[in-house]
Amino acid sequence: MYRTHNCGELSQKDIGKEVILSGWIKRIRNFGSLFFIDIRDYFGITQLIIYKKSVKKNLLLSKESIIRVKGKVVERLSKNYNLPTGEIEIYVSHIDLLNSSLSPPFTIEDKTDGNEEIRMIYRYLDIRRDPIKNNLIIRHNLTLETRNFLSKNKFLEIETPLLINYTPEGARSFVVPSRIYTNKFYALAQSPQLFKQLLMIGGIDRYFQIVKCFRDEDSRSDRQIEFTQIDCEMSFVEVHDILTFFENFIKHIFKKIKNIQLDSFPCISYYDAIKMYGTDSPDIRFGMSFVELNDLTKKENINFLKNQELVIGIKIRKCIYEKIDCFLKKIENKNFFWIKYLYDQTFLFSNQNFLNEEVIKIFIKYFKAVPGDFLFFSYGKKIKTREELGKIRLRIAEFLNLKNPKIFKPLWITDLPLLEWDEESKKYKSVHHPFTSPKEEDIYLLKKDPKNIRSKSYDLIINGIEIGSGSIRIHNKNIQNIIFKYLGLSKKEIESRFGFFIKAFEYGVPPHGGIAFGLDRLVNLLEGNKNIKNFIAFPKNNYGKDLMINAPSFLEKEKLKELHFR
Amino acid sequence: MYRTHNCGELSQKDIGKEVILSGWIKRIRNFGSLFFIDIRDYFGITQLIIYKKSVKKNLLLSKESIIRVKGKVVERLSKNYNLPTGEIEIYVSHIDLLNSSLSPPFTIEDKTDGNEEIRMIYRYLDIRRDPIKNNLIIRHNLTLETRNFLSKNKFLEIETPLLINYTPEGARSFVVPSRIYTNKFYALAQSPQLFKQLLMIGGIDRYFQIVKCFRDEDSRSDRQIEFTQIDCEMSFVEVHDILTFFENFIKHIFKKIKNIQLDSFPCISYYDAIKMYGTDSPDIRFGMSFVELNDLTKKENINFLKNQELVIGIKIRKCIYEKIDCFLKKIENKNFFWIKYLYDQTFLFSNQNFLNEEVIKIFIKYFKAVPGDFLFFSYGKKIKTREELGKIRLRIAEFLNLKNPKIFKPLWITDLPLLEWDEESKKYKSVHHPFTSPKEEDIYLLKKDPKNIRSKSYDLIINGIEIGSGSIRIHNKNIQNIIFKYLGLSKKEIESRFGFFIKAFEYGVPPHGGIAFGLDRLVNLLEGNKNIKNFIAFPKNNYGKDLMINAPSFLEKEKLKELHFR
């Protein structure tokens, strides 16, 4: 028997019991004739007190070795009230070395001296550290809570195939050569998109799946080539139904996992998001939405500015202090200016021709600024101006420490454009995917102004990060064909890429829609948005390599031959 | 709005309500000025009554089309008490055709006229049938129950990578060419074996994962190239702990999913299973274990038989009836004979020289047979004799209808051999895998008699089907190296195949072991063990093809080039 108790459960009520514990040696302190060992397992740490005479002479005890001890639970003299087991210790009568350990290549403590690379190579040692272990526990709790919540709400978890067909669409797929069918390949599914829609066509009312997805992407620090999605789909719903249901889902998760009660999620259109924040994934933990100043500059006849396509500004309250000058110097945009309203009621402002006392007072009045406030402005072409001030807004928030990782502000972005123009192929392509439904009232724009057609799509943004994305799908064959036409697909191409799916459209497709959440991102966000890799047991590095097992690697010639290569 | 209620929830208490329902047309019955429609969705079926005058003239209503109706819940005249909604119907005031349907290629009813191929091609229509839909629901319930049970018992679900490294071991792996690393490949994980062991080394006490696994196998009707495992591992345990825990797990699942209280699982050694049933996966729903007759034949000096290496027999109670002659004719084994004890107290027996009245009476007495009983015998070399009678035993059970799919008789088979001799490579290979622990008391056999070393392994067999398999793993570096040596691996080979894993053995490996259950098989077994494909939403056919999406398929030249082929 390896243990009667684990290393995290003994307390005062157990004093006097004979116990057996097993675990890793976390710490050894030598006091001549006796020594103390902290023994650690998954559940906690327990202090052992050992007299040298009771230990075999050649027993080599070192950190991270595994021991089994027999002994009596006794009250500790100097109690440690921070540890659940801190009021007792084990007076050891017998000790076995179950396995020895070399000195680990980095410190196995909450704060480690190991860099990312060495921690990846020895990932199993990294997992012994509480921060990584706790991340895996939170991930487990999050997925279990998700499954129970969705199941209670009549969703069925259904596995869809990972070995599917290659389609030259969107992101790159990994492929898998078939040994049996010479020169043929499977592809690894990038998402269950078409399969979940087929389940709706198959009469499954509500589907979900926590599922591995694969994308052959070039290196990015916040993406993995295999990642996990919470994938959902519902029948007989409109946008409103989905937003309502999944707002409750996200609220439930935050309440259960973080004990945080989220406010109602604001819902703003893509167009408004760009207008107010210069981005389709705004961080709304801090206000600072854009104020449009074109009417003002015209009315007040402010030279130069009054002729700009767009002038926008934001006010930051009470933010004047020394270091901000240093911050301002780093902003290199030309079409940017600022006004500091000092506590002595004077102004400082950036070096622009059109700025003078009079103009400044107009702005100060318009923004109802008070001493201590700071105004930032941007002007020029609409798209660029918004984008630039959007970036500056985020940098200010960063600088002023307004991105509090303990505050969570979700919002829905809706009505994203259906199509975007692709310069390379000189064609329209889908913003989401070709099965996203347009808004009925915009269909008339197909001929005149395709890029202004809004779709029935939505993103869930939390603290500036896209956590979920989805849409109502097209269920009408005619609309589907019109969209395909505008994507420049010939009948032949449609048949070869989506033939099986189009066929299904002949047999009673229900109205349906869904959403997918990035699990890795969501759990990372919950814990302060630091590094996705810390929430994956065995992550790949930013270049798609597994440093621990050294994958990918070369194949033996025989295997290559079996797969009909060379 | 598509619906106020679903098609399975309205009953007498709703009479008088104005409702909206959406669903598929299951049946239309025309009565001149009015007609009845059965409308179906995921939740059930509701009867609609529609007067022709309230329907637009050009509305084409056909089976499997989707409609939305508005109407009033009224009491039905001829009630159908078999349907939850059978006491009401909807008096329809308005009907919309949401989507039309072609006539489906096979009948969408519990009993269908579609063969397997056509049902695979139109799998989304097959899923509309209750038998397939209900299978998916049971699978969902089983996985949810599994997750909650294991989580309550301190198991963490942890995802392990699917894109791993190729090792030329055991079954064939699929490989995935890397685009970024020229000529390098990932492999698709056949199971999380090494990763779950690394999690134990990483201090995770109890792990599980319901996980997709991939094996590039040749066609077999009960296997899929992608399949799902309930994969589990525990630290600081011995065989006994694992069998006890997972016996409770399986009992819990049967109770929750099938409301069946299973008896205690017998636990017999591999050696005894072969001896008693001629197989390592015995079906013990019916008795008929082998009786060894060598002592008897020697004592009674029965010529010919007394010189055989093995003589075994089984008795079947009260099984004599007409058709059994036809069954007996089909048994073509030479070393097989039988005795029929007729109700008139006479005997019939197979045509063998050594059988006569005297010998027959010896067997009848030894087996305590009574009129109506049947005795079957096999003799010859040990291994073959057991194997042959084992097969006949199963065929008799089949013939006599003793394989009751509603009875479940699990048992544990333990102490499987560690090594088996591979004629092809002229080497010993692992029966389970090279990390399976031998029994300490057998290690001395390594030099003398390796194939008789028993391992700390176990299979869970239910009704003759292997549902789970696992072992205690080696945690001692020295034993691991000895095993490697006996598998004929050089130091170089060990390093290149298992280098990262062997490295982990230097850093405090806890004693650990685990088990994996085949989810597809388990859910199939629960429902009577018919066809695994009926429990997978989108299965591949027996040759690894997805008939619906037509995978695998040829790749475009550009894609091949990108992957550095040709």
Side-chain angles (χ1 to χ4, degrees), chain B residues 273-304:
Chain B
I274 299 287
K275 216 174 148 202
M276 291 163 67
Y277 303 101
T279 171
D280 58 358
S281 51
D283 189 339
I284 57 166
R285 275 175 292 183
F286 37 91
M288 310 201 297
S289 60
F290 302 166
V291 178
E292 302 210 342
L293 303 163
N294 289 53
D295 287 353
L296 180 74
T297 56
K298 274 181 192 124
K299 193 183 129 212
E300 301 284 354
N301 198 26
I302 302 174
N303 265 331
F304 184 72

Short mmCIF file of all heavy atoms in Angstrom, two decimals, chain B residues 273-304:
data_model
loop_
_atom_site.label_atom_id
_atom_site.label_comp_id
_atom_site.label_asym_id
_atom_site.label_seq_id
_atom_site.Cartn_x
_atom_site.Cartn_y
_atom_site.Cartn_z
N ALA B 273 -8.59 -18.40 -17.79
CA ALA B 273 -9.58 -18.11 -18.83
C ALA B 273 -9.38 -19.03 -20.02
O ALA B 273 -10.33 -19.61 -20.55
CB ALA B 273 -9.48 -16.65 -19.26
N ILE B 274 -8.12 -19.18 -20.41
CA ILE B 274 -7.81 -20.07 -21.54
C ILE B 274 -8.19 -21.51 -21.18
O ILE B 274 -8.77 -22.23 -21.98
CB ILE B 274 -6.30 -20.00 -21.86
CG1 ILE B 274 -5.89 -18.57 -22.27
CG2 ILE B 274 -5.91 -21.03 -22.93
CD1 ILE B 274 -6.33 -18.13 -23.62
N LYS B 275 -7.88 -21.89 -19.94
CA LYS B 275 -8.14 -23.24 -19.47
C LYS B 275 -9.64 -23.53 -19.40
O LYS B 275 -10.09 -24.62 -19.71
CB LYS B 275 -7.54 -23.38 -18.07
CG LYS B 275 -6.94 -24.73 -17.78
CD LYS B 275 -6.25 -24.75 -16.44
CE LYS B 275 -6.40 -26.14 -15.89
NZ LYS B 275 -6.28 -26.31 -14.49
N MET B 276 -10.40 -22.54 -18.97
CA MET B 276 -11.84 -22.77 -18.75
C MET B 276 -12.71 -22.47 -19.96
O MET B 276 -13.81 -23.02 -20.10
CB MET B 276 -12.31 -21.91 -17.58
CG MET B 276 -11.76 -22.35 -16.23
SD MET B 276 -11.94 -21.05 -14.98
CE MET B 276 -13.73 -21.00 -14.80
N TYR B 277 -12.24 -21.55 -20.82
CA TYR B 277 -13.10 -21.13 -21.93
C TYR B 277 -12.40 -21.14 -23.28
O TYR B 277 -12.99 -20.82 -24.30
CB TYR B 277 -13.68 -19.74 -21.66
CG TYR B 277 -14.44 -19.64 -20.37
CD1 TYR B 277 -13.87 -19.06 -19.23
CD2 TYR B 277 -15.75 -20.13 -20.28
CE1 TYR B 277 -14.58 -18.97 -18.04
CE2 TYR B 277 -16.46 -20.04 -19.10
CZ TYR B 277 -15.87 -19.46 -17.98
OH TYR B 277 -16.58 -19.39 -16.81
N GLY B 278 -11.11 -21.42 -23.29
CA GLY B 278 -10.39 -21.46 -24.55
C GLY B 278 -10.20 -20.11 -25.21
O GLY B 278 -9.89 -20.01 -26.39
N THR B 279 -10.39 -19.03 -24.45
CA THR B 279 -10.22 -17.68 -25.00
C THR B 279 -9.86 -16.72 -23.87
O THR B 279 -10.18 -16.99 -22.70
CB THR B 279 -11.52 -17.21 -25.69
OG1 THR B 279 -11.39 -15.82 -26.02
CG2 THR B 279 -12.73 -17.36 -24.78
N ASP B 280 -9.23 -15.59 -24.23
CA ASP B 280 -8.91 -14.59 -23.20
C ASP B 280 -10.02 -13.55 -23.07
O ASP B 280 -9.89 -12.59 -22.33
CB ASP B 280 -7.57 -13.91 -23.49
CG ASP B 280 -7.55 -13.23 -24.84
OD1 ASP B 280 -8.56 -13.33 -25.58
OD2 ASP B 280 -6.52 -12.63 -25.18
N SER B 281 -11.12 -13.76 -23.81
CA SER B 281 -12.26 -12.84 -23.64
C SER B 281 -13.55 -13.65 -23.59
O SER B 281 -14.39 -13.58 -24.48
CB SER B 281 -12.30 -11.81 -24.77
OG SER B 281 -12.22 -12.46 -26.03
N PRO B 282 -13.71 -14.44 -22.51
CA PRO B 282 -14.86 -15.34 -22.43
C PRO B 282 -16.19 -14.61 -22.23
O PRO B 282 -16.25 -13.62 -21.51
CB PRO B 282 -14.54 -16.22 -21.22
CG PRO B 282 -13.60 -15.42 -20.38
CD PRO B 282 -12.81 -14.56 -21.33
N ASP B 283 -17.19 -15.16 -22.87
CA ASP B 283 -18.56 -14.72 -22.64
C ASP B 283 -19.12 -15.62 -21.55
O ASP B 283 -19.28 -16.83 -21.75
CB ASP B 283 -19.35 -14.88 -23.95
CG ASP B 283 -20.73 -14.25 -23.88
OD1 ASP B 283 -21.24 -14.04 -22.76
OD2 ASP B 283 -21.29 -13.96 -24.95
N ILE B 284 -19.39 -15.06 -20.37
CA ILE B 284 -19.84 -15.90 -19.24
C ILE B 284 -21.33 -15.71 -18.93
O ILE B 284 -21.77 -15.98 -17.82
CB ILE B 284 -18.98 -15.68 -17.98
CG1 ILE B 284 -19.00 -14.20 -17.56
CG2 ILE B 284 -17.55 -16.15 -18.20
CD1 ILE B 284 -18.47 -13.96 -16.15
N ARG B 285 -22.10 -15.28 -19.94
CA ARG B 285 -23.56 -15.21 -19.73
C ARG B 285 -24.13 -16.61 -19.57
O ARG B 285 -25.15 -16.80 -18.94
CB ARG B 285 -24.22 -14.52 -20.92
CG ARG B 285 -24.22 -13.02 -20.82
CD ARG B 285 -24.79 -12.41 -22.08
NE ARG B 285 -23.92 -12.63 -23.24
CZ ARG B 285 -24.18 -12.14 -24.45
NH1 ARG B 285 -25.28 -11.43 -24.65
NH2 ARG B 285 -23.35 -12.34 -25.45
N PHE B 286 -23.49 -17.57 -20.22
CA PHE B 286 -23.90 -18.97 -20.11
C PHE B 286 -22.71 -19.71 -19.51
O PHE B 286 -21.57 -19.31 -19.71
CB PHE B 286 -24.26 -19.53 -21.48
CG PHE B 286 -23.36 -19.00 -22.57
CD1 PHE B 286 -22.20 -19.69 -22.91
CD2 PHE B 286 -23.63 -17.79 -23.19
CE1 PHE B 286 -21.35 -19.19 -23.89
CE2 PHE B 286 -22.78 -17.28 -24.16
CZ PHE B 286 -21.64 -17.97 -24.52
N GLY B 287 -22.97 -20.77 -18.70
CA GLY B 287 -21.86 -21.46 -18.04
C GLY B 287 -20.98 -22.18 -19.03
O GLY B 287 -20.19 -21.59 -19.72
N MET B 288 -21.09 -23.52 -19.05
CA MET B 288 -20.39 -24.32 -20.03
C MET B 288 -18.88 -24.12 -20.03
O MET B 288 -18.26 -24.03 -21.08
CB MET B 288 -20.93 -24.05 -21.45
CG MET B 288 -22.45 -24.14 -21.54
SD MET B 288 -23.05 -24.42 -23.22
CE MET B 288 -22.54 -22.98 -24.09
N SER B 289 -18.29 -24.03 -18.82
CA SER B 289 -16.83 -23.98 -18.80
C SER B 289 -16.29 -25.39 -19.01
O SER B 289 -17.00 -26.38 -18.79
CB SER B 289 -16.32 -23.39 -17.48
OG SER B 289 -16.76 -24.17 -16.41
N PHE B 290 -15.05 -25.48 -19.47
CA PHE B 290 -14.48 -26.77 -19.83
C PHE B 290 -14.22 -27.64 -18.61
O PHE B 290 -13.77 -27.15 -17.58
CB PHE B 290 -13.12 -26.61 -20.55
CG PHE B 290 -13.17 -25.78 -21.79
CD1 PHE B 290 -11.98 -25.31 -22.36
CD2 PHE B 290 -14.37 -25.45 -22.42
CE1 PHE B 290 -11.99 -24.55 -23.51
CE2 PHE B 290 -14.39 -24.68 -23.58
CZ PHE B 290 -13.20 -24.22 -24.12
N VAL B 291 -14.49 -28.95 -18.77
CA VAL B 291 -14.10 -29.92 -17.73
C VAL B 291 -12.93 -30.72 -18.30
O VAL B 291 -13.02 -31.26 -19.40
CB VAL B 291 -15.29 -30.84 -17.40
CG1 VAL B 291 -14.87 -31.88 -16.36
CG2 VAL B 291 -16.48 -30.01 -16.92
N GLU B 292 -11.82 -30.79 -17.55
CA GLU B 292 -10.66 -31.52 -18.04
C GLU B 292 -10.80 -33.00 -17.69
O GLU B 292 -11.12 -33.35 -16.55
CB GLU B 292 -9.37 -30.94 -17.45
CG GLU B 292 -9.24 -29.47 -17.81
CD GLU B 292 -7.81 -29.00 -17.93
OE1 GLU B 292 -6.90 -29.67 -17.42
OE2 GLU B 292 -7.61 -27.93 -18.55
N LEU B 293 -10.56 -33.84 -18.67
CA LEU B 293 -10.89 -35.26 -18.51
C LEU B 293 -9.69 -36.19 -18.57
O LEU B 293 -9.84 -37.40 -18.59
CB LEU B 293 -11.91 -35.66 -19.58
CG LEU B 293 -13.21 -34.82 -19.57
CD1 LEU B 293 -13.97 -34.97 -20.86
CD2 LEU B 293 -14.08 -35.20 -18.37
N ASN B 294 -8.47 -35.67 -18.57
CA ASN B 294 -7.29 -36.51 -18.68
C ASN B 294 -7.18 -37.51 -17.52
O ASN B 294 -6.89 -38.70 -17.74
CB ASN B 294 -6.02 -35.66 -18.74
CG ASN B 294 -5.92 -34.93 -20.06
OD1 ASN B 294 -6.86 -34.26 -20.46
ND2 ASN B 294 -4.80 -35.11 -20.77
N ASP B 295 -7.41 -37.02 -16.31
CA ASP B 295 -7.35 -37.94 -15.16
C ASP B 295 -8.36 -39.07 -15.32
O ASP B 295 -8.05 -40.26 -15.09
CB ASP B 295 -7.63 -37.18 -13.85
CG ASP B 295 -6.45 -36.29 -13.47
OD1 ASP B 295 -5.40 -36.39 -14.16
OD2 ASP B 295 -6.56 -35.51 -12.52
N LEU B 296 -9.57 -38.69 -15.74
CA LEU B 296 -10.63 -39.67 -15.91
C LEU B 296 -10.27 -40.71 -16.97
O LEU B 296 -10.39 -41.92 -16.74
CB LEU B 296 -11.93 -38.95 -16.30
CG LEU B 296 -13.15 -39.85 -16.50
CD1 LEU B 296 -13.70 -40.34 -15.16
CD2 LEU B 296 -14.24 -39.12 -17.29
N THR B 297 -9.82 -40.23 -18.12
CA THR B 297 -9.53 -41.17 -19.22
C THR B 297 -8.38 -42.10 -18.84
O THR B 297 -8.36 -43.25 -19.28
CB THR B 297 -9.18 -40.42 -20.53
OG1 THR B 297 -8.10 -39.53 -20.27
CG2 THR B 297 -10.37 -39.66 -21.07
N LYS B 298 -7.45 -41.59 -18.03
CA LYS B 298 -6.36 -42.47 -17.58
C LYS B 298 -6.86 -43.48 -16.57
O LYS B 298 -6.62 -44.68 -16.69
CB LYS B 298 -5.23 -41.63 -16.98
CG LYS B 298 -4.28 -41.16 -18.08
CD LYS B 298 -3.13 -40.35 -17.58
CE LYS B 298 -2.47 -39.71 -18.78
NZ LYS B 298 -2.39 -38.24 -18.66
N LYS B 299 -7.60 -42.98 -15.59
CA LYS B 299 -8.12 -43.85 -14.54
C LYS B 299 -8.99 -44.95 -15.13
O LYS B 299 -8.89 -46.13 -14.76
CB LYS B 299 -8.92 -43.01 -13.53
CG LYS B 299 -9.24 -43.73 -12.23
CD LYS B 299 -10.11 -42.84 -11.30
CE LYS B 299 -11.32 -43.62 -10.84
NZ LYS B 299 -12.51 -42.80 -10.61
N GLU B 300 -9.85 -44.54 -16.07
CA GLU B 300 -10.79 -45.51 -16.65
C GLU B 300 -10.16 -46.25 -17.85
O GLU B 300 -10.81 -47.05 -18.50
CB GLU B 300 -12.08 -44.80 -17.09
CG GLU B 300 -12.80 -44.06 -15.96
CD GLU B 300 -13.55 -45.02 -15.03
OE1 GLU B 300 -13.59 -46.24 -15.34
OE2 GLU B 300 -14.05 -44.57 -13.98
N ASN B 301 -8.92 -45.90 -18.11
CA ASN B 301 -8.18 -46.58 -19.16
C ASN B 301 -8.90 -46.58 -20.51
O ASN B 301 -9.06 -47.59 -21.17
CB ASN B 301 -7.88 -48.02 -18.69
CG ASN B 301 -6.75 -48.63 -19.51
OD1 ASN B 301 -5.91 -47.89 -20.06
ND2 ASN B 301 -6.74 -49.95 -19.63
N ILE B 302 -9.40 -45.36 -20.90
CA ILE B 302 -10.13 -45.24 -22.17
C ILE B 302 -9.10 -45.15 -23.29
O ILE B 302 -8.35 -44.17 -23.39
CB ILE B 302 -11.04 -44.01 -22.18
CG1 ILE B 302 -12.04 -44.10 -21.01
CG2 ILE B 302 -11.78 -43.89 -23.52
CD1 ILE B 302 -12.90 -42.87 -20.82
N ASN B 303 -9.10 -46.16 -24.11
CA ASN B 303 -8.11 -46.22 -25.17
C ASN B 303 -8.14 -44.98 -26.06
O ASN B 303 -9.16 -44.33 -26.20
CB ASN B 303 -8.33 -47.45 -26.04
CG ASN B 303 -7.42 -48.56 -25.53
OD1 ASN B 303 -6.35 -48.29 -24.98
ND2 ASN B 303 -7.87 -49.81 -25.69
N PHE B 304 -7.03 -44.71 -26.69
CA PHE B 304 -6.87 -43.55 -27.58
C PHE B 304 -6.94 -42.22 -26.82
O PHE B 304 -5.98 -41.46 -26.81
CB PHE B 304 -7.91 -43.58 -28.72
CG PHE B 304 -7.72 -42.46 -29.69
CD1 PHE B 304 -6.64 -42.47 -30.57
CD2 PHE B 304 -8.60 -41.38 -29.72
CE1 PHE B 304 -6.47 -41.41 -31.46
CE2 PHE B 304 -8.41 -40.33 -30.62
CZ PHE B 304 -7.35 -40.36 -31.48
#
